Amino acid sequence: MENRNRWSNLYLALVFIVLYAPIFYLMYYSFNSGGTMHEFEGFTLDYYREVVQDTRLIIIVINTLVIALLSSAIATIIAVIGALAIQHVRSRRAKNTLLSLNNVLIVSPDVIIGASFLILFTIAGVKLGFSSVLLSHIAFSVPIAVLMILPHLEEMSPTLTDAARDLGATRRDVLTKVILPVIRPGIFSGFFMALTYSLDDFAVTFFVTGNGYSTLSVEIYSRARQGVSLSINALSTLIFLFTVLLVVGYYFLTAKKAKKPSAERTAEAGVPR
Amino acid sequence: MTSKAKQVYLIPYYLWIALFVIAPVLLILYYSLFDLNGKLTLSNYANFFAPVYLKMTLSSFWYAFLITVFSLLVAYPAAWLLTRTKHKQLWLLLIILPTWINLLLKTYAFIGIFGTFGPVNSILDVLGIGEKQILFTGFSFVFVSVYIFIPFMILPIFSALEDLNPTLLSAARDLGASGWTTFRRVVFPLTVSGVRSGCMAVFIPALSLFMITRLIAGNRVITLGTAIEQHFLVTQDWGMGSTVAVFLIVVMALVMVLAGGRKGARNGK
């Protein structure tokens, strides 16, 4: 039994090592003065300096953040409306249809989302660049935010709104003073999920970005295709630290309400972009 | 009056569905009917069923299948062991954390790791096997993809295992089942829904990967995703690209119906 325990711990440890090795590998070599991802020659911060001084890169980082914040804010608003819409539908069949339409973009491969949005924007005459990227990020963030908000809406007791109405609250009061506060945790997790989706997205952005406009992942892709450059390592170290901060923040925000983060919900968020 | 007011404020959501869910699918279908010169034709479909594309499709499916199977083989025991640990939620969070790191950065790391002078080759050298070309092969493609997808396989299986009633295991033991029999007859059948959603979360994206094939497999492996990207962004042959996309959508729908339908039957029982 003791022996068996050791083997299983070893297996888990191995999985964790493999999961984290590439990330730490990148971080380690970001300090290599040798300029390659093998043979560590000496410690240097040159690549960090390079990243910080690269104005083009800084602009791209700002672009990425602007797109992420703006798109997730707008997507969350649309998602609140969407969740209300789905909840208000009485007929089961219509509800299921709405739900499956909602989930289409979650299960579709990114390549298809990207390609179809490219056609859409070209036909609609949307210039490829900031607006097309923003629109597509809003578009693919909406369904996941809806899925985060909907359970909170369904858990809410209908007597709450009835009571508010009886006490003379207007429609608007019911929404702002009763419904929105109750579903606030859902709204927050929806926003954060949209944010991480947007920050992480590569494939969709790659299709609709056009010339001259770029987000971080598209930039990383084009740099990585040219081969190894340690400024990417430095950049990825910074991104990793930022991500950890974001995740910790997200967990603190959600863990306050629901003590245990549900595995199911994180699994839903699991379709890679 | 009130119902009308409600309708007005629901507009953004319905607009979103119309514009970004329904329209794109219709547009893909529509474009698949045109050739490079903008002529209405079915030639794209004829081309698709020619040997070149069929071979590509088959290899794409084969790779996606391999990736799914290997992910499952690694993820199931890991998920099982995770449910046995203390502080499960913390460990689970640590499994999820890498998924928040940009996919491209993780892929890029493997360029170094699998490179000619990378650590894997050094290890092979020390073991006396000698240096091997690892980068730009089918193996590296499968490995990196499995690496990327493992958390998405672990999560649903983990939650299925969490829902498993532990008394069932004791019951199986009491009735004299061996460890393997318990697993085969009790544990696995009861967690098959988690396995199924894990496989779905891996198989469909694996069919459409294109950045990993470009960065790691050096265009040795061509998936349906690579083909779509190539047609849309390089050769500008939107018609053919759309045809491949239509095919991918059909496959996706089939997979969903198959998985969803059986699940429904199970729930109805």
Side-chain angles (χ1 to χ4, degrees), chain A:
Chain A
M1 195 59 215
E2 183 60 17
N3 206 9
R4 203 156 154 196
N5 236 334
R6 197 174 306 146
W7 280 114
S8 57
N9 283 342
L10 194 71
Y11 182 81
L12 261 192
L14 205 69
V15 170
F16 275 104
I17 289 172
V18 172
L19 271 182
Y20 280 91
I23 297 162
F24 287 111
Y25 183 79
L26 280 185
M27 290 169 129
Y28 178 68
Y29 279 102
S30 70
F31 300 109
N32 180 15
S33 63
T36 56
M37 275 213 270
H38 52 89
E39 285 171 70
F40 196 88
E41 280 181 15
F43 181 85
T44 176
L45 285 175
D46 280 357
Y47 301 103
Y48 289 87
R49 217 163 286 137
E50 208 174 284
V51 167
V52 179
Q53 283 166 358
D54 192 340
T55 28
R56 185 183 133 76
L57 196 65
I58 304 266
I59 291 174
I60 289 173
V61 170
I62 294 174
N63 280 345
T64 312
L65 288 177
V66 167
I67 290 274
L69 288 171
L70 210 56
S71 69
S72 21
I74 300 174
T76 313
I77 295 172
I78 299 180
V80 170
I81 297 173
L84 286 172
I86 293 176
Q87 206 221 3
H88 273 297
V89 170
R90 286 277 161 265
S91 113
R92 213 183 151 67
R93 193 137 166 232
K95 199 173 198 164
N96 280 339
T97 315
L98 263 184
L99 268 176
S100 1
L101 282 175
N102 185 66
N103 294 352
V104 166
L105 285 186
I106 296 184
V107 292
S108 312
D110 296 328
V111 190
I112 291 187
I113 300 178
S116 61
F117 283 5
L118 177 63
I119 299 181
L120 182 73
F121 292 138
T122 316
I123 286 186
V126 177
K127 202 166 158 286
L128 295 186
F130 175 77
S131 37
S132 61
V133 174
L134 180 67
L135 279 175
S136 48
H137 279 222
I138 294 172
F140 69 61
S141 303
V142 168
I144 189 73
V146 169
L147 284 190
M148 301 298 229
I149 296 169
L150 204 56
H152 290 268
L153 211 51
E154 264 157 13
E155 265 170 32
M156 187 179 73
S157 154
T159 52
L160 266 180
T161 50
D162 291 345
R165 300 284 286 170
D166 283 351
L167 293 169
T170 61
R171 198 163 251 299
R172 173 187 289 251
D173 282 340
V174 172
L175 185 68
T176 56
K177 301 232 168 84
V178 179
I179 298 181
L180 287 183
V182 169
I183 61 172
R184 186 180 294 143
I187 295 179
F188 269 118
S189 33
F191 177 79
F192 263 91
M193 225 54 236
L195 201 67
T196 42
Y197 261 41
S198 169
L199 286 176
D200 209 36
D201 175 71
F202 162 70
V204 178
T205 316
F206 187 62
F207 272 89
V208 297
T209 180
N211 289 326
Y213 189 82
S214 184
T215 65
L216 209 48
S217 31
V218 174
E219 180 70 12
I220 294 168
Y221 178 69
S222 64
R223 288 191 186 198
R225 282 193 82 176
Q226 287 154 19
V228 171
S229 131
L230 291 194
S231 54
I232 303 184
N233 295 46
L235 189 63
S236 71
T237 308
L238 297 175
I239 293 177
F240 178 72
L241 296 178
F242 179 73
T243 309
V244 170
L245 276 179
L246 202 70
V247 171
V248 169
Y250 170 76
Y251 263 81
F252 267 107
L253 270 178
T254 50
K256 242 193 232 162
K257 278 283 166 195
K259 250 315 187 214
K260 263 199 306 189
S262 125
E264 199 108 22
R265 214 182 298 161
T266 27
E268 264 167 13
V271 187
R273 297 255 153 215

Side-chain angles (χ1 to χ4, degrees), chain A residues 12, chain B residues 74-84 153-154 157-158 161:
Chain A
L12 261 192
Chain B
V74 177
Y76 203 102
W80 169 256
L81 294 175
L82 272 177
T83 59
R84 312 272 113 184
M153 188 64 106
I154 291 184
I157 297 177
F158 176 85
L161 282 168

Side-chain angles (χ1 to χ4, degrees), chain B residues 175-198:
Chain B
L175 293 168
S178 68
W180 171 241
T181 317
T182 313
F183 174 75
R184 200 166 52 92
R185 305 295 285 268
V186 181
V187 179
F188 191 76
L190 285 174
T191 52
V192 89
S193 67
V195 170
R196 198 179 289 133
S197 45

